[in-house]
Amino acid sequence: ESSPTARGLFVREQFLCQHVPDPPAGVNTNLPPFSAAKPQTNRDRMSEHVVNPGCASCHSLIDPIGFGFEKFDAVGARRDKFTFAKPRPNKETLEKAWELEIDAAGFVAGVANSQFASPAKLGSVLSQSAQCQECVAKQYFRYIAGRMETAADRPVIRKMTEDFRRSQFKFKELMLSLMLARENSGGTEHVVRNHQAQ
């Protein structure tokens, strides 16, 4: 089944370079089971994340992003309604139980004017975010260096981000910026030599 939490976490960590803490030990991370008496979408089932203060601090950062992907099921197939089918007693066939409307509205907490209702719109929101632009530079640095950045790498990443923006976000220019960086002769030269060796 699809996981708005996992999807939102991926966007936070991979496109905004933010760390979201793991849930506290002993917390039950399972969603309430589907019920014939009260059929619910994932958004409805995850309402506990909003009302429980112990959950809300982190889930308010990730779940609203993941809800924007709910029109895609767990394998990425498009769906217009949230369907749940339960096994029949013989367990060989499924009995269609419910078809529920999907609310795919989402937003990125901490980013102004970030409301979206499709992955394409989310892409547009992120592309205009300075934090996302810098994160792309960081992720490329991490890939080439084979490690996380340190304080000594900040001038290089800052220069990469500036060059990336100046080029109107041409990825080739981001690559060249890292290769030509000279601000930090220690870390940068090491990165460049590692890249050339590859």
Side-chain angles (χ1 to χ4, degrees):
E1 96 185 50
S2 62
S3 172
T5 296
R7 289 169 169 176
L9 183 64
F10 181 87
V11 171
R12 272 286 162 201
E13 295 188 337
Q14 301 303 318
F15 292 101
L16 294 171
C17 292
Q18 296 174 347
H19 174 69
V20 179
D22 293 330
V27 170
N28 181 5
T29 58
N30 295 319
L31 294 178
F34 288 98
S35 165
K38 189 180 180 183
Q40 296 177 303
T41 63
N42 281 340
R43 184 186 288 265
D44 296 329
R45 294 164 70 207
M46 295 171 74
S47 60
E48 175 71 12
H49 291 169
V50 179
V51 298
N52 185 329
C55 302
S57 59
C58 291
H59 281 277
S60 62
L61 297 174
I62 52 183
D63 291 354
I65 301 172
F67 291 142
F69 292 91
E70 275 295 272
K71 288 206 171 179
F72 297 87
D73 68 14
V75 296
R78 171 80 184 190
R79 62 182 177 189
D80 290 317
K81 293 190 182 289
F82 186 86
T83 60
F84 174 67
K86 60 183 180 181
R88 294 181 187 274
N90 62 18
K91 297 186 179 180
E92 293 179 359
T93 59
L94 295 177
E95 176 184 351
K96 186 174 180 181
W98 308 287
E99 268 195 352
L100 306 173
E101 294 295 329
I102 294 174
D103 177 3
F107 65 93
V108 184
V111 176
N113 303 315
S114 64
Q115 293 77 14
F116 68 95
S118 72
K121 177 61 177 171
L122 173 61
S124 177
V125 166
L126 292 176
S127 71
Q128 296 173 47
S129 162
Q131 193 164 7
C132 180
Q133 295 162 9
E134 182 180 358
C135 185
V136 171
K138 281 183 182 178
Q139 295 288 25
Y140 182 66
F141 178 92
R142 293 169 181 174
Y143 174 76
I144 293 300
R147 60 175 174 79
M148 298 295 284
E149 68 279 0
T150 66
D153 300 314
R154 286 177 187 157
V156 174
I157 294 172
R158 188 180 306 116
K159 179 71 163 58
M160 290 171 63
T161 304
E162 291 169 358
D163 291 345
F164 191 39
R165 288 183 181 132
R166 196 175 300 114
S167 73
Q168 295 298 303
F169 309 106
K170 293 181 173 64
F171 198 76
K172 178 181 177 182
E173 297 302 319
L174 181 65
M175 297 167 66
L176 288 171
S177 179
L178 177 57
M179 294 302 296
L180 298 174
R182 295 289 185 259
E183 288 86 354
N184 182 335
S185 60
T188 304
E189 292 301 326
H190 177 68
V191 169
V192 171
R193 284 199 300 273
N194 278 354
H195 181 68
Q196 290 171 337
Q198 294 174 3

Short mmCIF file of all heavy atoms in Angstrom, two decimals, residues 4 55 62 69 73 77-78 84 88 92 98 114 118 121 127-128 136 169 188:
data_model
loop_
_atom_site.label_atom_id
_atom_site.label_comp_id
_atom_site.label_asym_id
_atom_site.label_seq_id
_atom_site.Cartn_x
_atom_site.Cartn_y
_atom_site.Cartn_z
N PRO A 4 2.26 7.79 2.30
CA PRO A 4 2.53 9.22 2.24
C PRO A 4 3.71 9.64 3.11
O PRO A 4 4.48 10.53 2.74
CB PRO A 4 1.22 9.85 2.74
CG PRO A 4 0.17 8.84 2.43
CD PRO A 4 0.85 7.51 2.64
N CYS A 55 3.64 12.88 17.62
CA CYS A 55 3.80 12.53 16.20
C CYS A 55 3.85 13.78 15.33
O CYS A 55 4.56 13.82 14.32
CB CYS A 55 2.62 11.68 15.73
SG CYS A 55 2.38 10.14 16.65
N ILE A 62 6.32 15.98 6.86
CA ILE A 62 6.45 15.00 5.78
C ILE A 62 5.12 14.52 5.20
O ILE A 62 5.00 14.38 3.97
CB ILE A 62 7.30 13.79 6.22
CG1 ILE A 62 6.80 13.20 7.55
CG2 ILE A 62 8.75 14.19 6.35
CD1 ILE A 62 7.63 12.04 8.08
N PHE A 69 0.98 12.71 -3.51
CA PHE A 69 1.28 11.58 -4.40
C PHE A 69 0.21 10.48 -4.31
O PHE A 69 0.37 9.41 -4.90
CB PHE A 69 2.63 10.95 -4.03
CG PHE A 69 3.81 11.83 -4.33
CD1 PHE A 69 4.30 12.71 -3.37
CD2 PHE A 69 4.44 11.77 -5.55
CE1 PHE A 69 5.39 13.52 -3.63
CE2 PHE A 69 5.54 12.58 -5.83
CZ PHE A 69 6.02 13.45 -4.86
N ASP A 73 -0.57 4.66 -6.82
CA ASP A 73 -0.57 3.59 -5.83
C ASP A 73 0.86 3.19 -5.46
O ASP A 73 1.83 3.86 -5.84
CB ASP A 73 -1.40 2.40 -6.32
CG ASP A 73 -0.77 1.67 -7.51
OD1 ASP A 73 0.42 1.89 -7.81
OD2 ASP A 73 -1.48 0.86 -8.13
N ALA A 77 1.26 3.27 -10.21
CA ALA A 77 0.17 3.29 -11.20
C ALA A 77 -0.84 4.37 -10.82
O ALA A 77 -1.16 4.57 -9.65
CB ALA A 77 -0.52 1.93 -11.26
N ARG A 78 -1.32 5.07 -11.83
CA ARG A 78 -2.29 6.15 -11.60
C ARG A 78 -3.61 5.58 -11.09
O ARG A 78 -4.07 4.54 -11.56
CB ARG A 78 -2.51 6.90 -12.91
CG ARG A 78 -3.63 7.92 -12.90
CD ARG A 78 -3.25 9.20 -12.27
NE ARG A 78 -4.37 10.13 -12.20
CZ ARG A 78 -4.26 11.39 -11.87
NH1 ARG A 78 -3.09 11.90 -11.58
NH2 ARG A 78 -5.32 12.16 -11.81
N PHE A 84 -10.05 -0.38 -1.79
CA PHE A 84 -9.59 -1.41 -0.88
C PHE A 84 -10.42 -2.65 -1.12
O PHE A 84 -11.65 -2.61 -1.11
CB PHE A 84 -9.71 -0.98 0.57
CG PHE A 84 -9.38 -2.07 1.54
CD1 PHE A 84 -8.09 -2.55 1.64
CD2 PHE A 84 -10.36 -2.64 2.33
CE1 PHE A 84 -7.78 -3.57 2.52
CE2 PHE A 84 -10.07 -3.67 3.21
CZ PHE A 84 -8.77 -4.13 3.31
N ARG A 88 -11.83 -12.84 0.11
CA ARG A 88 -13.02 -13.63 0.40
C ARG A 88 -12.63 -14.78 1.33
O ARG A 88 -11.44 -15.06 1.50
CB ARG A 88 -13.63 -14.18 -0.89
CG ARG A 88 -14.17 -13.10 -1.82
CD ARG A 88 -14.78 -13.71 -3.08
NE ARG A 88 -15.14 -12.68 -4.05
CZ ARG A 88 -16.30 -12.04 -4.05
NH1 ARG A 88 -17.21 -12.30 -3.12
NH2 ARG A 88 -16.55 -11.12 -4.97
N GLU A 92 -8.87 -17.00 -2.30
CA GLU A 92 -8.37 -17.10 -3.67
C GLU A 92 -8.80 -15.93 -4.52
O GLU A 92 -8.19 -15.64 -5.54
CB GLU A 92 -8.85 -18.42 -4.30
CG GLU A 92 -8.24 -19.65 -3.65
CD GLU A 92 -8.74 -20.92 -4.29
OE1 GLU A 92 -9.57 -20.84 -5.23
OE2 GLU A 92 -8.32 -22.01 -3.84
N TRP A 98 -14.48 -0.99 -1.11
CA TRP A 98 -14.77 0.44 -1.14
C TRP A 98 -14.02 1.14 -2.26
O TRP A 98 -12.96 0.71 -2.68
CB TRP A 98 -14.37 1.11 0.18
CG TRP A 98 -14.93 0.44 1.39
CD1 TRP A 98 -16.22 0.48 1.83
CD2 TRP A 98 -14.20 -0.36 2.32
NE1 TRP A 98 -16.34 -0.23 2.98
CE2 TRP A 98 -15.13 -0.77 3.31
CE3 TRP A 98 -12.88 -0.77 2.42
CZ2 TRP A 98 -14.77 -1.58 4.39
CZ3 TRP A 98 -12.51 -1.57 3.49
CH2 TRP A 98 -13.46 -1.96 4.46
N SER A 114 3.61 26.99 -1.28
CA SER A 114 4.02 25.65 -1.71
C SER A 114 2.87 24.67 -1.90
O SER A 114 3.10 23.47 -2.01
CB SER A 114 4.99 25.07 -0.67
OG SER A 114 4.33 24.90 0.59
N SER A 118 -0.27 17.92 -7.53
CA SER A 118 0.29 16.93 -8.46
C SER A 118 1.80 16.93 -8.31
O SER A 118 2.38 17.95 -7.90
CB SER A 118 -0.09 17.27 -9.90
OG SER A 118 0.64 18.42 -10.34
N LYS A 121 3.41 19.84 -10.14
CA LYS A 121 3.34 21.13 -9.43
C LYS A 121 4.34 21.16 -8.28
O LYS A 121 4.97 22.19 -8.01
CB LYS A 121 1.91 21.36 -8.93
CG LYS A 121 1.74 22.63 -8.11
CD LYS A 121 2.07 23.89 -8.89
CE LYS A 121 1.82 25.13 -8.05
NZ LYS A 121 2.32 26.36 -8.69
N SER A 127 11.60 23.63 -7.53
CA SER A 127 12.59 24.26 -8.41
C SER A 127 12.80 25.73 -8.08
O SER A 127 13.86 26.30 -8.38
CB SER A 127 12.17 24.11 -9.87
OG SER A 127 11.03 24.92 -10.17
N GLN A 128 11.80 26.35 -7.47
CA GLN A 128 11.91 27.77 -7.11
C GLN A 128 12.40 27.97 -5.68
O GLN A 128 12.58 29.10 -5.24
CB GLN A 128 10.54 28.43 -7.28
CG GLN A 128 10.06 28.44 -8.73
CD GLN A 128 8.64 28.93 -8.86
OE1 GLN A 128 8.27 29.95 -8.30
NE2 GLN A 128 7.82 28.21 -9.60
N VAL A 136 20.47 20.28 -4.40
CA VAL A 136 20.92 19.59 -5.61
C VAL A 136 22.44 19.66 -5.71
O VAL A 136 23.10 18.67 -6.03
CB VAL A 136 20.24 20.20 -6.87
CG1 VAL A 136 20.87 19.65 -8.14
CG2 VAL A 136 18.74 19.93 -6.85
N PHE A 169 20.18 26.74 -14.09
CA PHE A 169 20.03 25.36 -13.62
C PHE A 169 20.37 24.32 -14.68
O PHE A 169 19.68 23.31 -14.82
CB PHE A 169 18.64 25.14 -13.02
CG PHE A 169 18.30 26.19 -12.00
CD1 PHE A 169 17.40 27.19 -12.29
CD2 PHE A 169 18.94 26.21 -10.78
CE1 PHE A 169 17.11 28.19 -11.36
CE2 PHE A 169 18.66 27.20 -9.84
CZ PHE A 169 17.75 28.19 -10.12
N THR A 188 38.77 20.24 -1.95
CA THR A 188 38.33 20.33 -3.34
C THR A 188 39.24 19.56 -4.27
O THR A 188 38.80 18.80 -5.13
CB THR A 188 38.27 21.80 -3.79
OG1 THR A 188 37.43 22.50 -2.91
CG2 THR A 188 37.74 21.91 -5.20
#
